[in-house]
Amino acid sequence: MTVNPAHTALWPAPHASGAVDATVHVPGSKSVTNRALVLAALASEPGWLRRPLRSRDTLLMAEALRTMGVEIEEGVGPEGTGEFWRVIPAGLRGPATVDVGNAGTVMRFLPPVATLADGTVRFDGDPRSYERPLHGVIDALRALGARIDDDGRGALPMTVHGGGALEGGPVEIDASSSSQFVSSLLLSGPRFNQGVEVRHNGSALPSMPHIRMTVDMLRAVGAQVDTPESGGEPNVWRVTPGALLGRDLTIEPDLSNAQPFLAAALVTGGKVVIPDWPSRTTQPGDRLREIFTDMGGSCELTDYGLVFTGSGAVHGIDVDLGEVGELTPGIAAVAALADSPSTLRGVAHLRLHETDRLAALTKEINELGGDVTETADGLHIRPRRLHGGVFHTYEDHRMATAGAIIGLAVEGVQIENVATTAKTLPDFPDLWTGMLGA
């Protein structure tokens, strides 16, 4: 077996010699881009995505839809408008083979789409994708009338036998391991003959902002969605069958990917500006304004964007991150550099992400001299003086950016496989060194 040299290469994490002062243009949101691609592919007319994120996860989504017959044209608009994708819906068809990589949105959002295809669609991906739970989607689709071959694994690889339509209707699932189970059914629900009624039956749902994002985007393309927030039953979402409209959508910056840059301002006592930060958004990354302010920074939302300033001090925090679990690696990195202990709670589901993020963060921070312990649902972090060393990433983009944050304050940190950041944040090394004026 050959090993990609990028996976073993060590990247010397830049050390900050002083306070950061930079404006960083963060690329578009992966979560919004991939939802928009699915909705545009299921629409009854063409749509436009402007300033989409071009990263491994979104390119995998676009290519997967193309293999099922959707046309996606790429181009560049007039100066200042950036790139665009024009999505032209077509009759979904097989046979097709979808490479999901290790993208949760691709492996979970597209099997419901595949049930609408005329023919078989096989799903495969990276070795880690075989370990990530898919049972919530597979079991639900079978209950709604789909035929799926997975050899009883509840995971990849698998084949969906599309029948050109799906009956749909009510279904009960346990989505406590991933909110994407709910979103996946809702996104395709308008195209099911009876729509869909998803009832979550399990422990607390993680990452609720992502479900709210799905609902908002469905409503924006004409779908009728009833939710617990709109007066419906708790833990029940209903989507009425109907045609979806093509839209001209400009993708918001990825606020979760802004995290390492805001963290840089916090840990160096500097200032970072993120242009085009939305005044209203369902993105979980918007919570960073509150969390990083509690940890010692201050922020101002202007017409231009978000201005975040560090105070020169970093404080520990006790916080429930259940709704914003993807922010945990970056917050843990900052907490390891704080002046008091931190407890990060509500994120047991991170053990099932790109890697077991709780175990990985504990091991890597401790190997740099830290004092991190896992709890049942999170981490307890007691700051200690850290030293240089190799920070392994486990092919997890958020582990790589967490290591880069620590490297700002600790000399000699080397990030293994920084190229994994291309999953959602292309050109991260150049953005990072550019922020530091290098």
Side-chain angles (χ1 to χ4, degrees):
M1 183 181 77
T2 59
V3 177
N4 186 333
H7 292 184
T8 56
L10 298 180
W11 181 65
H15 181 70
S17 57
V20 168
D21 186 356
T23 296
V24 181
H25 291 267
V26 177
S29 164
K30 176 205 74 173
S31 298
V32 175
T33 300
N34 273 357
R35 283 166 172 78
L37 279 169
V38 171
L39 292 172
L42 295 175
S44 58
E45 57 192 351
W48 300 78
L49 276 64
R50 302 190 188 275
R51 296 182 185 170
L53 174 67
R54 289 182 56 86
S55 72
R56 187 184 186 214
D57 280 17
T58 60
L59 294 174
L60 284 168
M61 178 68 84
E63 186 56 31
L65 291 169
R66 287 187 179 110
T67 68
M68 289 191 274
V70 179
E71 292 184 44
I72 302 176
E73 301 174 350
E74 303 182 37
V76 179
E79 186 175 352
T81 61
E83 295 185 355
F84 67 81
W85 287 345
R86 185 169 184 251
V87 183
I88 304 171
L92 297 168
R93 62 180 183 271
T97 297
V98 169
D99 176 10
V100 310
N102 191 19
T105 51
V106 182
M107 70 179 73
R108 292 168 182 150
F109 291 178
L110 289 188
V113 175
T115 67
L116 304 171
D118 184 9
T120 60
V121 182
R122 177 173 170 78
F123 290 83
D124 208 337
D126 297 353
R128 171 62 181 172
S129 72
Y130 293 8
E131 303 171 26
R132 300 185 68 182
L134 266 181
H135 55 85
V137 176
I138 294 170
D139 294 347
L141 290 175
R142 284 179 175 146
L144 294 172
R147 180 182 159 207
I148 300 174
D149 295 335
D150 69 334
D151 293 333
R153 289 182 301 271
L156 293 176
M158 68 178 188
T159 299
V160 177
H161 296 266
L166 191 70
E167 192 59 24
V171 67
E172 189 171 296
I173 64 172
D174 180 355
S176 53
S177 61
S178 176
S179 68
Q180 290 175 351
F181 294 166
V182 175
S183 288
S184 70
L185 297 168
L186 299 184
L187 287 167
S188 292
R191 290 285 304 271
F192 299 163
N193 293 342
Q194 297 183 36
V196 71
E197 176 187 288
V198 182
R199 184 179 298 269
H200 165 62
N201 182 16
S203 55
L205 264 173
S207 305
M208 277 297 298
H210 279 127
I211 296 179
R212 289 193 282 271
M213 176 188 293
T214 298
V215 169
D216 276 9
M217 293 183 68
L218 276 162
R219 287 172 173 162
V221 295
Q224 181 179 328
V225 189
D226 296 322
T227 70
E229 293 87 352
S230 61
E233 296 179 61
N235 292 326
V236 177
W237 293 262
R238 294 184 181 89
V239 179
T240 302
L244 299 178
L245 307 174
R247 272 203 64 193
D248 190 327
L249 176 68
T250 299
I251 307 296
E252 298 175 354
D254 193 314
L255 306 187
S256 294
N257 277 341
Q259 181 180 39
F261 306 102
L262 301 180
L266 185 56
V267 304
T268 68
K271 181 178 78 172
V272 166
V273 179
I274 308 293
D276 303 319
W277 193 287
S279 57
R280 178 191 174 277
T281 181
T282 52
Q283 287 193 60
D286 194 46
R287 181 96 182 275
L288 288 166
R289 293 192 288 156
E290 170 197 340
I291 294 170
F292 279 172
T293 295
D294 289 345
M295 298 186 80
S298 62
C299 64
E300 179 186 6
L301 190 56
T302 70
D303 290 341
Y304 181 71
L306 182 70
V307 181
F308 187 83
T309 308
S311 63
V314 181
H315 309 310
I317 192 170
D318 186 329
V319 62
D320 187 328
L321 299 175
E323 290 203 346
V324 292
E326 66 195 54
L327 304 180
T328 302
I331 293 169
V334 173
L337 304 170
D339 57 16
S340 58
S342 294
T343 300
L344 312 184
R345 294 177 283 106
V347 288
H349 61 285
L350 294 190
R351 294 187 170 99
L352 300 171
H353 275 219
E354 280 82 344
T355 187
D356 179 342
R357 285 179 170 165
L358 300 185
L361 287 164
T362 300
K363 179 177 183 293
E364 297 309 314
I365 294 174
N366 286 350
E367 290 197 352
L368 299 183
D371 185 0
V372 182
T373 54
E374 282 193 61
T375 65
D377 72 338
L379 300 172
H380 187 62
I381 301 168
R382 289 166 291 272
R384 292 174 56 177
R385 183 177 180 85
L386 303 182
H387 56 72
V390 176
F391 195 94
H392 299 91
T393 60
Y394 310 89
E395 298 189 29
D396 184 338
H397 56 130
R398 300 207 192 278
M399 287 296 295
T401 54
I405 292 167
I406 292 174
L408 289 174
V410 179
E411 292 193 69
V413 174
Q414 295 180 294
I415 312 295
E416 174 212 41
N417 187 17
V418 74
T420 194
T421 53
K423 177 180 169 68
T424 62
L425 187 53
D427 304 321
F428 169 74
D430 289 343
L431 286 170
W432 196 247
T433 53
M435 173 193 68
L436 294 170

